[in-house]
Amino acid sequence: MGPQAGVVCSLFFLLQVLAMPAENPDFSLVGDYLLGGLFTLHANVKGTVHLNFLQVPKCKEYEVKALGYKLMQAMHFAVEEINNHSSLLPGVRLGYEMVDVCYVSNNIQPVLYFLAQEDYFLPIQEDYSHYVPRVVAVIGPENSEATMTVAHFLSLFLLPQITFSAISNDLRNKQRFPAVLRMVPGADHHLQAMVQLMLRFRWNWIVVLVSDDDYGRRASQLLSEHLARNDICVALHEVLPTPQPSQVVTRQERRRLEAIVDKLRHSSARVVVVFSPDLVLHHFFHQVLRQNLTGIVWIASESWAIDLALHNLTELSHTGTFLGITTESVSIPGFSEFRVRRAQARRPASNRPSGGGTCNQECDACLDALESFNTILTLSGERVAYSVYSAVYAVAHALHSLLGCSQTHCPKEVVYPWRLLQEIRKVNFTLLGHHIFFDDQGDLPMPLEVIQWHWNQSQNPFQTIASYHPAQRQLKDVRGVSWHTPDGTVPVSTCSKDCQPGQKKKSVGIHPCCFECLDCPPGTFLNKTEDEFDCQPCPSNEWSHRRDTSCFKRQLTFLQWHNAPTIFVVLLAALGFLGTLAILAIFWRHLQTPMVRSAGGPMCFLILTSLLVAYLMVPVYVGPPTPATCLCRQTFFTLCFTICISCITVRSFQIVYVFKMARQLPRTYGYWVRYHGPYVFVAAITALKVAMVTTNQVITTTGPTARADPGDPKIMILSCNPDYSKGLLVNTSLDLLLSVVGFSFAYMGKELPTSYNEAKFITFCMTFYFTSSISLCTFMSVYEGVLVTFLDLLVTVLNLLGISLGYFGPKCYLILFHPERNTPAYFSSVIQGYTMGRD
């Protein structure tokens, strides 16, 4: 769909006047189809810019912009190459009219001139679909502000505008600027390359200087967003004064520049990022030189990264290292020779204007000034020049397609701008090894380069040190940087020094880049990939020293077989087991003797069997705990011991009852004997103990657990469960109660006959068990370690030995060494003596 009318009638007269010819454009070439070129050839440094074209200042009041002249020659070279040597547009001759926009002051007049027809009028129409302006496309201008100014006019007519260095993200908005295409990546890519450069050299504390215009403000906002995402802090942010319209610096602006440079001198940041048009920076860098500011890394935006006028200030080499972001350098065969040849040429005198030179006119003084730049222009390569060169080729390819050209002929038709714009968006060709096409936003994803300024006259003044590819969004091949520092090392620009490994950061102030370093305490480590400001705790089975970056496995400790104390206790248990086995054999051999019957008879075998089983449980205390060994510790041993204690207790009760209470309660004793009271009692106590053990196992954990040793956190104590001491106290509570009851009955029978007086032996066994169990539980409540397991095992074995030797030992001694006391007659005499003594 074609362009619509977008100019109100009240502007008609103004447009008529402003569309008058631009008094001899700098360069013009007649052709079938004209291209418009907008370049900055001169920059106002002295005089006042007059918007009225009839009062244009003289050329001598302007500083020649060498790069702009080079870009204009690149367009000229591309057009001549296409007309003379290219298979593009056979039979069609391209023409051009190129105008000097004088930096920013001469944008509107040439645009209206390009839009006007041959009669210099720009008519008001309802529909411009069939309107044919003077040119079919416009190349330029170079900066974003001028590009947008021009684009507002050209977009009304959908006249293709291809800019070669404007990077503002606003130009991606095709609702506002539908006719704008760019031969360079947008601002996002330039800033991404800049930020990755800072990250590459670990600079996170920088100064940002921006010009006081739309370009500076937009760049500052976008840069702040990129910096925040990459944890780079701005130590100082200043706005450079922008003199307008004259470049004469006022006293107030000079004081402002002095203050900015003074702040730079006192700032700890050594990296300065500058977003500003090149003209604004001349006075700033003169102030930098005046105050002798050194040791700075200057990072230039694309607006001045390859500015030859600033580079011509050779004293800047003493202020630090200059880096910049610009487009990739592509060699254009034959262009350097063409440019030098054109610069040396002069127009015939008859073609020169008689009056004073204007901004849009060439003059001998301007060309003479450019001669000093010939060498540096040749050495610097074709960076932006290739963008202009490829822009002309893009228009040529689009025209070739729109006209339906063959290899030998092109039909000459009326070209409407909006139709050409559609074809330009679709171009896809290779030029000097580079793929030329436009993405959805109208941008060419041209690689960028990071360059460093050099002042050696025999080499490229802008040497490449890195490359950036928009498709991968990655900075690559960083190399060959010559740092202007005393020792030639990479300058440091950080608010705080990097923390040592194992140190966390603690923020100081409002900037995340400013911090102090604190050691991570033992038991924690620092994982920088997750969190640099907090130490992460080690897992329960691991540990770390102070300032560790990782945790190590704790040493697992448990009762081991090769330890001397363990061997000693196991030998005791083995001797106890063999001794108990011998006692069982002796009692079985003398089962019908009075000594065995007085000790309990068949119940003695129940006690001895339980003791043997308990001895067999001793190995479960040694070695790494397992669910099975923990179950044995907390169930089988305590059940066996309960059976032993209950048997001894009921035996003590039975002896006391027979000698002291049977005559008072004969019927009760009869029931006790008739219904096997001792066995019923033992069975009841055993059942109660089973219920207690089962409940305890259900409530608490039976499996092994690891706990850190309080005395040495590097060691993990492997035990059955964290509440083992509580479980032990619950399991032994019934045994302790039985031991007290047994002790009481034994004490009551201290006056019984010698053969039945077991008070001393039972008292010894019960007292030792009671005191050892209470001591063990107390020790376990205040200490954790392998020693607890060892003491538990030792107390267990000693208690078993106490019953085996303390209760059964004396009886075996009498059976073996005093058989005369193991006769019915001896026992009858003892009982008779006890009865007569009571009477």
Side-chain angles (χ1 to χ4, degrees):
M1 185 176 180
Q4 301 297 318
V7 185
V8 295
C9 294
S10 60
L11 294 180
F12 179 74
F13 177 75
L14 177 62
L15 294 178
Q16 277 187 320
V17 174
L18 291 180
M20 291 181 68
E23 295 198 14
N24 297 332
D26 290 315
F27 284 93
S28 60
L29 178 69
V30 177
D32 298 310
Y33 301 101
L34 292 182
L35 300 180
L38 299 176
F39 301 96
T40 302
L41 301 181
H42 304 90
N44 185 345
V45 295
K46 295 181 181 179
T48 302
V49 174
H50 300 275
L51 295 180
N52 188 338
F53 78 99
L54 297 176
Q55 298 177 357
V56 181
K58 295 181 179 180
C59 179
K60 65 180 181 180
E61 297 178 354
Y62 284 74
E63 178 183 284
V64 178
K65 189 172 176 64
L67 181 61
Y69 186 83
K70 179 179 181 179
L71 300 181
M72 182 185 68
Q73 294 288 7
M75 180 174 176
H76 187 182
F77 176 75
V79 171
E80 287 200 6
E81 190 176 68
I82 292 171
N83 287 340
N84 298 331
H85 309 291
S86 175
S87 60
L88 283 174
L89 301 173
V92 172
R93 184 174 179 81
L94 286 180
Y96 56 76
E97 291 197 17
M98 292 183 280
V99 180
D100 179 7
V101 296
C102 294
Y103 198 70
V104 293
S105 60
N106 191 39
N107 287 325
I108 305 302
Q109 182 184 354
V111 170
L112 296 178
Y113 172 69
F114 289 155
L115 290 173
Q117 295 178 330
E118 294 298 329
D119 55 3
Y120 307 122
F121 279 87
L122 183 59
I124 302 299
Q125 297 181 0
E126 182 179 356
D127 185 356
Y128 287 99
S129 298
H130 295 85
Y131 180 76
V132 181
R134 179 181 300 272
V135 298
V136 296
V138 173
I139 310 297
E142 64 181 51
N143 62 72
S144 298
E145 187 175 359
T147 298
M148 285 188 283
T149 301
V150 171
H152 283 299
F153 288 89
L154 300 182
S155 294
L156 293 174
F157 298 83
L158 292 183
L159 180 66
Q161 177 188 0
I162 305 179
T163 177
F164 43 84
S165 61
I167 67 169
S168 173
N169 280 352
D170 291 342
L171 295 173
R172 297 167 66 95
N173 186 345
K174 295 312 169 187
Q175 296 295 325
R176 295 176 58 193
F177 307 107
V180 175
L181 300 105
R182 297 188 294 188
M183 305 306 295
V184 292
D188 278 334
H189 292 291
H190 285 76
L191 294 175
Q192 184 67 20
M194 193 176 292
V195 168
Q196 289 189 24
L197 179 68
M198 299 178 199
L199 296 176
R200 172 65 175 79
F201 294 111
R202 305 176 66 85
W203 297 326
N204 63 359
W205 188 239
I206 67 170
V207 175
V208 177
L209 302 180
V210 299
S211 55
D212 190 13
D213 54 14
D214 289 341
Y215 171 76
R217 284 185 286 270
R218 289 191 179 98
S220 174
Q221 181 181 356
L222 287 175
L223 179 63
S224 298
E225 296 174 0
H226 281 266
L227 296 178
R229 288 196 295 267
N230 292 275
D231 295 329
I232 299 176
C233 304
V234 178
L236 182 65
H237 185 284
E238 293 293 333
V239 178
L240 298 174
T242 305
Q244 289 291 343
S246 172
Q247 290 296 316
V248 177
V249 180
T250 65
R251 182 179 304 175
Q252 182 179 1
E253 291 171 344
R254 182 176 293 105
R255 286 199 299 266
R256 179 63 181 155
L257 288 175
E258 291 175 354
I260 292 175
V261 176
D262 188 63
K263 289 180 180 179
L264 291 179
R265 180 189 303 278
H266 293 92
S267 174
S268 59
R270 296 288 87 189
V271 174
V272 180
V273 180
V274 184
F275 285 93
S276 173
D278 50 349
L279 279 185
V280 178
L281 297 178
H282 286 79
H283 300 292
F284 169 74
F285 279 113
H286 279 295
Q287 191 61 233
V288 169
L289 295 173
R290 186 175 296 111
Q291 296 194 28
N292 195 26
L293 181 63
T294 60
I296 301 296
V297 177
W298 305 94
I299 300 182
S301 63
E302 90 296 338
S303 60
W304 64 281
I306 55 174
D307 185 76
L308 296 175
L310 284 174
H311 184 273
N312 201 35
L313 296 174
T314 56
E315 296 87 353
L316 289 179
S317 61
H318 305 295
T319 66
T321 305
F322 280 76
L323 306 177
I325 311 296
T326 185
T327 54
E328 183 181 31
S329 178
V330 181
S331 177
I332 304 175
F335 174 62
S336 294
E337 295 80 2
F338 173 84
R339 179 186 52 76
V340 173
R341 185 172 64 252
R342 293 292 301 180
Q344 294 174 348
R346 292 291 185 270
R347 295 183 182 180
S350 58
N351 290 341
R352 298 180 186 177
S354 58
T358 68
C359 179
N360 287 330
Q361 288 179 322
E362 202 172 24
C363 63
D364 293 341
C366 300
L367 293 177
D368 291 339
L370 288 173
E371 288 183 2
S372 62
F373 287 98
N374 279 337
T375 301
I376 194 171
L377 283 172
T378 301
L379 293 174
S380 62
E382 285 75 44
R383 294 185 182 277
V384 185
Y386 177 78
S387 297
V388 176
Y389 179 80
S390 57
V392 175
Y393 266 89
V395 175
H397 276 269
L399 272 174
H400 190 94
S401 175
L402 180 63
L403 296 176
C405 299
S406 64
Q407 294 183 351
T408 58
H409 175 71
C410 277
K412 297 180 180 180
E413 299 178 359
V414 177
V415 173
Y416 298 109
W418 61 272
R419 293 188 61 193
L420 180 62
L421 176 63
Q422 293 177 347
E423 293 299 325
I424 294 178
R425 290 185 178 278
K426 296 186 291 185
V427 296
N428 194 328
F429 61 96
T430 300
L431 182 64
L432 300 181
H434 286 264
H435 191 196
I436 305 299
F437 69 98
F438 296 100
D439 61 19
D440 294 338
Q441 282 74 37
D443 296 341
L444 172 66
M446 184 76 176
L448 301 177
E449 289 183 345
V450 182
I451 53 96
Q452 180 181 10
W453 286 16
H454 289 271
W455 282 270
N456 187 339
Q457 296 183 357
S458 63
Q459 64 181 3
N460 188 343
F462 309 115
Q463 290 191 1
T464 301
I465 62 169
S467 58
Y468 174 87
H469 298 273
Q472 292 83 25
R473 300 183 68 89
Q474 186 175 1
L475 190 69
K476 299 180 180 179
D477 304 327
V478 181
R479 65 195 182 278
V481 186
S482 300
W483 301 109
H484 292 186
T485 54
D487 53 358
T489 58
V490 179
V492 176
S493 187
T494 57
C495 181
S496 302
K497 292 184 178 179
D498 287 341
C499 293
Q500 297 297 320
Q503 289 184 323
K504 69 176 181 179
K505 297 178 180 179
K506 181 182 179 182
S507 297
V508 176
I510 61 174
H511 295 291
C513 305
C514 302
F515 50 83
E516 59 180 347
C517 300
L518 301 176
D519 293 345
C520 286
T524 64
F525 70 101
L526 186 69
N527 187 349
K528 288 188 176 181
T529 59
E530 291 186 4
D531 189 0
E532 291 184 317
F533 292 87
D534 196 14
C535 302
Q536 292 80 38
C538 291
S540 59
N541 63 332
E542 296 181 358
W543 190 250
S544 66
H545 299 294
R546 182 177 294 274
R547 285 182 59 176
D548 270 355
T549 56
S550 61
C551 300
F552 55 85
K553 294 289 184 180
R554 301 191 200 218
Q555 179 184 353
L556 294 178
T557 60
F558 45 84
L559 207 57
Q560 300 186 24
W561 287 100
H562 58 79
N563 293 338
T566 305
I567 296 174
F568 172 73
V569 175
V570 171
L571 288 177
L572 283 180
L575 293 175
F577 178 81
L578 295 176
T580 303
L581 195 61
I583 293 171
L584 182 62
I586 293 172
F587 270 53
W588 180 264
R589 175 69 178 78
H590 301 85
L591 177 60
Q592 301 303 324
T593 61
M595 185 64 70
V596 175
R597 297 181 66 183
S598 67
M603 189 169 286
C604 292
F605 295 99
L606 181 59
I607 297 174
L608 292 171
T609 303
S610 299
L611 289 174
L612 290 174
V613 175
Y615 278 120
L616 292 175
M617 293 295 106
V618 169
V620 302
Y621 283 84
V622 186
T626 63
T629 58
C630 287
L631 183 64
C632 291
R633 290 188 196 182
Q634 301 175 28
T635 57
F636 290 106
F637 168 75
T638 185
L639 286 175
C640 293
F641 209 82
T642 299
I643 293 173
C644 295
I645 298 296
S646 61
C647 289
I648 294 174
T649 301
V650 75
R651 182 59 185 163
S652 302
F653 165 75
Q654 189 166 340
I655 292 175
V656 172
Y657 187 85
V658 168
F659 281 95
K660 292 190 174 185
M661 293 180 290
R663 286 186 294 180
Q664 290 81 7
L665 301 169
R667 294 183 64 185
T668 304
Y669 180 72
Y671 285 120
W672 176 264
V673 175
R674 185 181 308 121
Y675 294 106
H676 307 287
Y679 295 101
V680 173
F681 176 80
V682 172
I685 293 299
T686 303
L688 178 60
K689 188 57 175 287
V690 170
M692 294 175 62
V693 170
T694 303
T695 303
N696 185 54
Q697 294 302 308
V698 172
I699 295 175
T700 61
T701 304
T702 59
T705 58
R707 292 172 295 168
D709 189 341
D712 189 357
K714 297 188 297 296
I715 295 177
M716 289 291 291
I717 303 169
L718 203 57
S719 60
C720 280
N721 64 64
D723 297 324
Y724 181 67
S725 58
K726 296 180 181 179
L728 178 64
L729 184 61
V730 171
N731 289 338
T732 59
S733 59
L734 182 59
D735 300 337
L736 292 173
L737 178 62
L738 290 174
S739 66
V740 172
V741 173
F743 168 77
S744 301
F745 284 123
Y747 184 79
M748 290 172 60
K750 64 181 179 178
E751 298 176 355
L752 295 178
T754 305
S755 300
Y756 293 93
N757 187 355
E758 300 172 348
K760 292 184 293 182
F761 311 119
I762 295 178
T763 299
F764 169 76
C765 296
M766 297 299 101
T767 302
F768 181 78
Y769 175 71
F770 182 83
T771 55
S772 62
S773 298
I774 294 299
S775 300
L776 179 61
C777 291
T778 304
F779 182 79
M780 294 176 66
S781 65
V782 296
Y783 182 80
E784 296 180 359
V786 180
L787 184 58
V788 171
T789 305
F790 172 74
L791 290 178
D792 187 15
L793 175 60
L794 179 61
V795 168
T796 299
V797 172
L798 291 179
N799 282 320
L800 295 176
L801 289 174
I803 297 176
S804 299
L805 303 179
Y807 184 73
F808 291 103
K811 300 183 186 308
C812 290
Y813 175 78
L814 292 176
I815 292 173
L816 295 176
F817 298 102
H818 296 280
E820 71 278 2
R821 296 184 183 182
N822 190 20
T823 61
Y826 178 78
F827 270 77
S828 297
S829 65
V830 171
I831 294 173
Q832 186 178 2
Y834 170 75
T835 304
M836 292 175 62
R838 291 187 60 186
D839 295 338

